[in-house]
Amino acid sequence: MNYPVWWTPWAGGGLLIAVIAVVHVFVAHFAVGGGLFLPLLERKALHKNSAPMLAFVKSYTKFFLLLTMVFGGVTGVGIWFVISLVGPAATASLIHIFVWGWAAEWVYFLVEIAALLVYYYSFSRMPAAEHLKVGWVYAIFAWLSLFVINGVIGFMLTPGEWASTGNFWDGFLNPSFWPSLVFRSCLSYVIAGLFGLMSATRVQDAETRRALTRFAVRFVTWPFVVLVLSLIWYFYALPEPQQLMIAQKSTELPPLLKGLFICTPALFLGGLLVMFATPSQGGPRRVWLAYLLIGLGLAHMGFFEWTREAARRPWLLHGIMYSTSLSPADLRKANEQGFLKTSRWSAHKEITPQNRLEVGREIYAAQCLPCHSIGGPQLDIRPRVAHLTARGLESQLEGQGRLLEYMPPFAGNAQERAALAAFLTKDRPKNEAAVKPAPAPAPEIPAFDPDKDEYALLAWTSATFMRGISDCDAAFSLAPPFVEINAQLVKRGAMPELLTKDVKITYAVPKGFEAPDQQVRFWEQSAALYGKALAPNRGPLGNGTSGELAFKSELGAFIASGVPLLPYDASGGFNALPMLTLEARDANTNQLLASTRVPAAVSTEMGCANCHAGGFSREPLKVGMSQKAGLDILRAHDRISKTTLAAQAEAGKPQRCQSCHADQAQPPAGGEKILNLSTALHGWHANYLSNRGAEACGLCHPVNPQGASHLFRSTHLSRGLDCTRCHGTLEDHALGLLKAEHAAGKPRAAGLMKNLKTRLAPSLQTLAPRQPWLSKPDCNACHDLASKPTPKRLGVNAWTKKLYHTRRDDMNAVACPACHNVAHAEYPAAAGNEQPLQYQRNPRPLGADGNCKACHTEEMSDFSHHPLPTK
Amino acid sequence: MLIPAVDPVPASVIWFESLRVGGFFAHLLMMNAVLGLSVMALAMELRVLALGLAPQKDALHAPLHVVATKIPTALALAVNFGVVPLLFLQLVYGQFFYTSSVLMAWWWLAVIGLVILAYYGLYIYDFKYHGPAAAKVLLLLTVVGCLLLTSFIYVNNMTLMLDPQQWQGYFKSPGGTLLNWGEPTLWPRWLHFLCGSVAVGGLLFAHAQSRKAASGDAAAQVGVRVGLRWFGHATFFQLLVGLWFLLSLPQRVATPLLQGGLPLLLLLAGIACGFLSLLFATQLRLWAASWTTLATLVLMVALRELVRGLYLAPYFKPSDLTVVPQYSPMVFFFCSLAVGLGTIAWMLRLVARSAKLEAKELS
């Protein structure tokens, strides 16, 4: 912020420039085109010896003079005024780089004025041949003005070699100079033709009118072909980044291009229409049509100039100065030292609770106002940030410019981002702190007598609970409200035996959790989401809230998949660990063999609404996702990926994310070129939540220490380990996934990877590619089971070959989670230790410390399940 | 420090400063002509209206018509020559000028609208010269109002850019509505400019009539006398206003200005030329008054530059700028200038020739 910023929140910078620039540029092009129009028409009039036509030239010159010299001339200075007020730094650069060019342009402007005044005032007073020569002088110098300004405008979009050489001519004769010059020259003649038509249609004498109309129409139509070709040439002369900005990246451009594509042929056809609609004798004069064409010409000019400006995003001077008037060097400095400290015109150099909003306003003025108004017609910021919370905005600012490249990066540090986000959300209701859910009553632990009981029923639940359930089912579904229950039944003895047949193992959800369909709209939407309607409170395999587990030999365990369960109970309570009751009975006699309880980790604490506005479905607890938040997310998806998901959802056809994004956790897979779900989510968000530790994980997953679920509750937590020790940081995590997708030829992966750097993993080159849900952190990365793990060892970059929850012990009998519980909840956990407490009265893994009595009725000297760590 | 950092310039700053001052001089002349003649036209039209005269009966009707046809052209040239100092001011003093402009942005931007209004007003006045006096008075009131406001805004900006201490006002009022009320020279400086404009206007009014007056046209002879009278009165007031201006200069500027050397010499020479021009005007010696006025203007423009230098001395001098020379674009400019001036000279020759032919035909 080298210069002060003119605080005009309603107008913003862009509106003022747009208003003055579009009208000026239109008139200025007329001034150039008219330069050719006038002498050619005068020559024709002289050749035909037509007094009415000559009279027309004279009166047209008066109009021309009053419009171009007065309005055009002064608004031309006005552009200088307004750009120096809105973007003084860029203006200063353009003046310094092209001062001699500007000076030459002044000379041409001077000759232009002199020639026009002489031409007008010497009509009928100067010999015709000489008068005509003065007209040609005007035409030449007016075009020379265009020649110079074209170089400067082109430089802003395509500086070419100037960036490395600093040479005037490299900047002036830049890559888009010639196509732009041809295009603008043609456009000038078209506009002169339009104004000519407007004046010609007003002529009373029909024959003169017809001759003039035909002459003017030629000015509109003849340059048209070259104009279209030069527009194509212009596009292909642009370097790739600018081409991509026009063709793909900008969300601002599609309507502008549409406008340009409509206006361009409409001008041509309109010109022809005027000609054919103007009768040779008498009849109605198409004055209104000519005026309409002038309006069309103005719109065409507006669309073109705006497109050119938008193609330059996020730069004012491409590659040299961002639209925030900061150079890349300024940006680096501001990121290192803070924006306030490096900004000359910041009133505050430190942020305090008292000045936070004012600092936010200052930063807004410097970094947003150049393009975005507040409540004004020009790129109003309010609807553009309405879909994000203050926290979401902070993240948005952090990743700004990385993926949506039409925005410049934010310059400054985290506190400054927060201050700006606070300013942008200052009028919203205060964000209340989450209410903690009422603690669930301590479960009654089923009795177990190691001396008498013959059976031990070991149970564990879903391994995928870390993915929260999306309860905005009328918007979309990311994870349905189902859990998986697993169990192994041990017949105790000196040589315990795993029972796999002739037993029946049943489950039941706790009281109050039997009707999840009353809590969410999933079953109502199941037909749209899954292609078939599910019976209320039933899963896709038919399982209900109570039922029977089936034995799966490949896993050596009894399993019930797709069991409907939500953390919401009928009384409105929230419990992320609702306690399942399992019973094992003799299949023939129905005699109860064993019973147990195990918590089913289940949460709707997805956290999307932490950043995406719209709110949580259970607002006080800040869990779940409201329909509004769901739709807002879809709108963001639609805007970025050009989908129509929000409209589909609103029409009653919500989609599963997995409909397009492949997901090993939930087949079937989506499109071949589309990133899989985990990669898309992590890859995208890593760009906005970088340089964080485990708190980044807690923003989306139910592991936030301040959250309602606390589903990361394992022994690792109590030992001070967090998510990053096994998964790496979000960047590491995302890059592993992206690398695999990139290798698989998914085109989107490279863009998401571009701005990410590994942090805990050594480098991208050495980072092992990952498949979601298949390549997970491997326990063996830290645990060789024979010794205690090294304290600082990282699990990052050592992914599983076989998933932990499908593994069994060295005897290929007992499943790892049966004794240790599933990942993220390993015993002794912060909560949900009912199993070990039932069987061994302590929360440690079953069998820990030589405590084999859960299954073995005799003391054991050997440990055959796996090696034990040495003490 | 609030003063922004600056980019290097592509040639020795002397080139830019010379062009800037030269351009400013031409701009000043044209501005003075437009404002001075507009004020005079308003006064004359008011007089006609107040006396209830039929316009055609007024002795100044014909002389004023001659002038009315020329003011828009003067404004066209004023705008054009204004581009030169505006360009080089941005180059050399941009860090001051952009800043002060932003601080008073709404006012500064209003200049564009005001000038367009005045411009069209003057053309309407020219084209409808024979219309009703009341309408013309209303029109000229608008024109003069716009021009006076424009000049006041300019005086504010040109002084605000010289005083970074005043820029602190931005932090209380960042909306671009500041004016430089704290500047002690604000009013005398503006009046100084106004008096100068009216004086130059008076001289030009007289010149516009001089050829006809020489050929015995009575109305034109009245016009010459009236023009010189306006010049005399304005210059007399100018001497008083000039003194006020001088006394209002801040100490840090006034002291070095008055302690001798070139600034004092320029000041005294300027005052002397002013007195001389006044004397010549009372003797109805139009050309002598004009040449001495021109000399006064040259001296005062030079003095103005020195005063600007003294204002900015604690912060900046143009020789501080880094020069990274590139001469080929400079050659391009001077070639353009030569061709441009040659073309204008050629066109003026055509005009002169056709005027001669016209005169011959008439005779």
Side-chain angles (χ1 to χ4, degrees), chain A residues 636-660:
Chain A
H637 190 285
D638 290 345
R639 197 172 55 248
I640 295 157
S641 300
K642 301 183 173 56
T643 50
T644 55
L645 297 172
Q648 287 179 53
E650 281 170 327
K653 290 180 182 165
Q655 298 287 313
R656 292 165 62 223
C657 302
Q658 291 83 352
S659 303
C660 298

Short mmCIF file of all heavy atoms in Angstrom, two decimals, chain A residues 636-660:
data_model
loop_
_atom_site.label_atom_id
_atom_site.label_comp_id
_atom_site.label_asym_id
_atom_site.label_seq_id
_atom_site.Cartn_x
_atom_site.Cartn_y
_atom_site.Cartn_z
N ALA A 636 -21.23 -23.58 -4.65
CA ALA A 636 -19.79 -23.35 -4.85
C ALA A 636 -19.25 -24.38 -5.84
O ALA A 636 -18.48 -24.06 -6.75
CB ALA A 636 -19.07 -23.45 -3.51
N HIS A 637 -19.68 -25.63 -5.68
CA HIS A 637 -19.25 -26.71 -6.58
C HIS A 637 -19.70 -26.38 -8.01
O HIS A 637 -18.93 -26.52 -8.97
CB HIS A 637 -19.87 -28.02 -6.11
CG HIS A 637 -19.33 -29.23 -6.80
ND1 HIS A 637 -19.69 -29.54 -8.09
CD2 HIS A 637 -18.48 -30.20 -6.40
CE1 HIS A 637 -19.07 -30.66 -8.45
NE2 HIS A 637 -18.32 -31.08 -7.44
N ASP A 638 -20.92 -25.92 -8.14
CA ASP A 638 -21.46 -25.60 -9.48
C ASP A 638 -20.65 -24.49 -10.13
O ASP A 638 -20.33 -24.54 -11.32
CB ASP A 638 -22.92 -25.14 -9.36
CG ASP A 638 -23.85 -26.29 -8.99
OD1 ASP A 638 -23.41 -27.45 -9.10
OD2 ASP A 638 -24.98 -26.03 -8.57
N ARG A 639 -20.33 -23.47 -9.32
CA ARG A 639 -19.61 -22.32 -9.85
C ARG A 639 -18.22 -22.73 -10.34
O ARG A 639 -17.76 -22.32 -11.40
CB ARG A 639 -19.50 -21.25 -8.75
CG ARG A 639 -19.16 -19.87 -9.24
CD ARG A 639 -19.25 -18.83 -8.14
NE ARG A 639 -18.46 -19.13 -6.97
CZ ARG A 639 -18.96 -19.45 -5.77
NH1 ARG A 639 -20.25 -19.51 -5.59
NH2 ARG A 639 -18.17 -19.71 -4.75
N ILE A 640 -17.59 -23.55 -9.55
CA ILE A 640 -16.20 -23.89 -9.85
C ILE A 640 -16.11 -24.99 -10.90
O ILE A 640 -15.28 -24.93 -11.80
CB ILE A 640 -15.48 -24.31 -8.55
CG1 ILE A 640 -15.39 -23.11 -7.61
CG2 ILE A 640 -14.10 -24.87 -8.83
CD1 ILE A 640 -15.23 -23.48 -6.16
N SER A 641 -16.98 -25.99 -10.77
CA SER A 641 -16.87 -27.15 -11.67
C SER A 641 -17.92 -27.15 -12.76
O SER A 641 -18.06 -28.13 -13.49
CB SER A 641 -16.96 -28.43 -10.85
OG SER A 641 -15.93 -28.49 -9.91
N LYS A 642 -18.68 -26.04 -12.83
CA LYS A 642 -19.69 -25.88 -13.89
C LYS A 642 -20.70 -27.03 -13.89
O LYS A 642 -21.05 -27.58 -14.93
CB LYS A 642 -19.02 -25.72 -15.26
CG LYS A 642 -18.09 -24.49 -15.27
CD LYS A 642 -17.45 -24.23 -16.60
CE LYS A 642 -16.69 -22.93 -16.61
NZ LYS A 642 -15.65 -22.77 -15.59
N THR A 643 -21.13 -27.42 -12.69
CA THR A 643 -22.17 -28.43 -12.55
C THR A 643 -23.49 -27.74 -12.25
O THR A 643 -23.55 -26.51 -12.15
CB THR A 643 -21.81 -29.39 -11.39
OG1 THR A 643 -21.47 -28.60 -10.24
CG2 THR A 643 -20.65 -30.27 -11.75
N THR A 644 -24.54 -28.52 -12.09
CA THR A 644 -25.86 -27.94 -11.78
C THR A 644 -26.46 -28.66 -10.58
O THR A 644 -27.66 -28.94 -10.53
CB THR A 644 -26.80 -28.08 -12.99
OG1 THR A 644 -26.85 -29.47 -13.36
CG2 THR A 644 -26.34 -27.26 -14.18
N LEU A 645 -25.62 -28.99 -9.63
CA LEU A 645 -26.06 -29.83 -8.50
C LEU A 645 -27.09 -29.13 -7.63
O LEU A 645 -28.03 -29.78 -7.15
CB LEU A 645 -24.84 -30.22 -7.65
CG LEU A 645 -23.80 -31.08 -8.38
CD1 LEU A 645 -22.55 -31.24 -7.54
CD2 LEU A 645 -24.40 -32.43 -8.72
N ALA A 646 -26.92 -27.83 -7.41
CA ALA A 646 -27.86 -27.12 -6.52
C ALA A 646 -29.26 -27.15 -7.14
O ALA A 646 -30.25 -27.43 -6.45
CB ALA A 646 -27.39 -25.70 -6.29
N ALA A 647 -29.31 -26.89 -8.43
CA ALA A 647 -30.63 -26.89 -9.09
C ALA A 647 -31.25 -28.28 -9.04
O ALA A 647 -32.45 -28.43 -8.80
CB ALA A 647 -30.47 -26.42 -10.53
N GLN A 648 -30.41 -29.29 -9.24
CA GLN A 648 -30.94 -30.66 -9.16
C GLN A 648 -31.49 -30.95 -7.78
O GLN A 648 -32.57 -31.54 -7.64
CB GLN A 648 -29.82 -31.66 -9.46
CG GLN A 648 -29.40 -31.70 -10.92
CD GLN A 648 -28.27 -32.71 -11.12
OE1 GLN A 648 -28.39 -33.86 -10.74
NE2 GLN A 648 -27.19 -32.27 -11.71
N ALA A 649 -30.73 -30.55 -6.77
CA ALA A 649 -31.18 -30.80 -5.40
C ALA A 649 -32.48 -30.07 -5.12
O ALA A 649 -33.41 -30.62 -4.51
CB ALA A 649 -30.10 -30.37 -4.41
N GLU A 650 -32.55 -28.84 -5.59
CA GLU A 650 -33.76 -28.06 -5.34
C GLU A 650 -34.95 -28.64 -6.10
O GLU A 650 -36.09 -28.47 -5.71
CB GLU A 650 -33.53 -26.60 -5.71
CG GLU A 650 -32.74 -25.89 -4.61
CD GLU A 650 -32.24 -24.50 -4.99
OE1 GLU A 650 -31.93 -24.29 -6.18
OE2 GLU A 650 -32.17 -23.66 -4.11
N ALA A 651 -34.64 -29.35 -7.18
CA ALA A 651 -35.71 -30.01 -7.93
C ALA A 651 -36.03 -31.39 -7.35
O ALA A 651 -36.75 -32.17 -7.97
CB ALA A 651 -35.31 -30.12 -9.39
N GLY A 652 -35.45 -31.69 -6.20
CA GLY A 652 -35.77 -32.97 -5.55
C GLY A 652 -34.90 -34.12 -6.00
O GLY A 652 -35.25 -35.27 -5.79
N LYS A 653 -33.77 -33.78 -6.63
CA LYS A 653 -32.89 -34.87 -7.07
C LYS A 653 -31.49 -34.68 -6.52
O LYS A 653 -30.54 -34.39 -7.27
CB LYS A 653 -32.84 -34.92 -8.60
CG LYS A 653 -34.15 -35.38 -9.20
CD LYS A 653 -34.05 -35.41 -10.70
CE LYS A 653 -35.40 -35.82 -11.28
NZ LYS A 653 -35.50 -35.54 -12.70
N PRO A 654 -31.35 -34.82 -5.21
CA PRO A 654 -30.01 -34.69 -4.64
C PRO A 654 -29.12 -35.84 -5.10
O PRO A 654 -29.63 -36.88 -5.52
CB PRO A 654 -30.27 -34.76 -3.14
CG PRO A 654 -31.53 -35.53 -3.00
CD PRO A 654 -32.36 -35.19 -4.20
N GLN A 655 -27.84 -35.61 -5.03
CA GLN A 655 -26.89 -36.62 -5.51
C GLN A 655 -25.99 -37.09 -4.38
O GLN A 655 -25.75 -36.37 -3.41
CB GLN A 655 -26.00 -36.00 -6.60
CG GLN A 655 -26.73 -35.52 -7.82
CD GLN A 655 -27.22 -36.66 -8.68
OE1 GLN A 655 -26.47 -37.60 -8.97
NE2 GLN A 655 -28.48 -36.61 -9.06
N ARG A 656 -25.48 -38.27 -4.55
CA ARG A 656 -24.38 -38.72 -3.69
C ARG A 656 -23.09 -38.17 -4.28
O ARG A 656 -22.95 -38.13 -5.52
CB ARG A 656 -24.29 -40.24 -3.67
CG ARG A 656 -25.44 -40.92 -2.99
CD ARG A 656 -25.42 -42.40 -3.34
NE ARG A 656 -24.21 -43.04 -2.87
CZ ARG A 656 -23.50 -43.91 -3.57
NH1 ARG A 656 -23.88 -44.24 -4.80
NH2 ARG A 656 -22.41 -44.46 -3.07
N CYS A 657 -22.17 -37.78 -3.45
CA CYS A 657 -20.88 -37.31 -3.97
C CYS A 657 -20.25 -38.41 -4.83
O CYS A 657 -19.60 -38.16 -5.84
CB CYS A 657 -19.93 -36.96 -2.84
SG CYS A 657 -20.57 -35.71 -1.75
N GLN A 658 -20.52 -39.67 -4.39
CA GLN A 658 -19.92 -40.82 -5.07
C GLN A 658 -20.53 -41.07 -6.44
O GLN A 658 -20.04 -41.93 -7.18
CB GLN A 658 -20.10 -42.08 -4.20
CG GLN A 658 -19.29 -42.07 -2.93
CD GLN A 658 -19.97 -41.31 -1.81
OE1 GLN A 658 -20.98 -40.66 -2.01
NE2 GLN A 658 -19.38 -41.37 -0.62
N SER A 659 -21.58 -40.34 -6.79
CA SER A 659 -22.14 -40.51 -8.13
C SER A 659 -21.11 -40.12 -9.18
O SER A 659 -21.15 -40.62 -10.30
CB SER A 659 -23.38 -39.63 -8.32
OG SER A 659 -24.32 -39.93 -7.34
N CYS A 660 -20.26 -39.18 -8.83
CA CYS A 660 -19.21 -38.76 -9.78
C CYS A 660 -17.82 -39.10 -9.27
O CYS A 660 -16.94 -39.46 -10.04
CB CYS A 660 -19.28 -37.26 -10.03
SG CYS A 660 -20.82 -36.74 -10.76
#
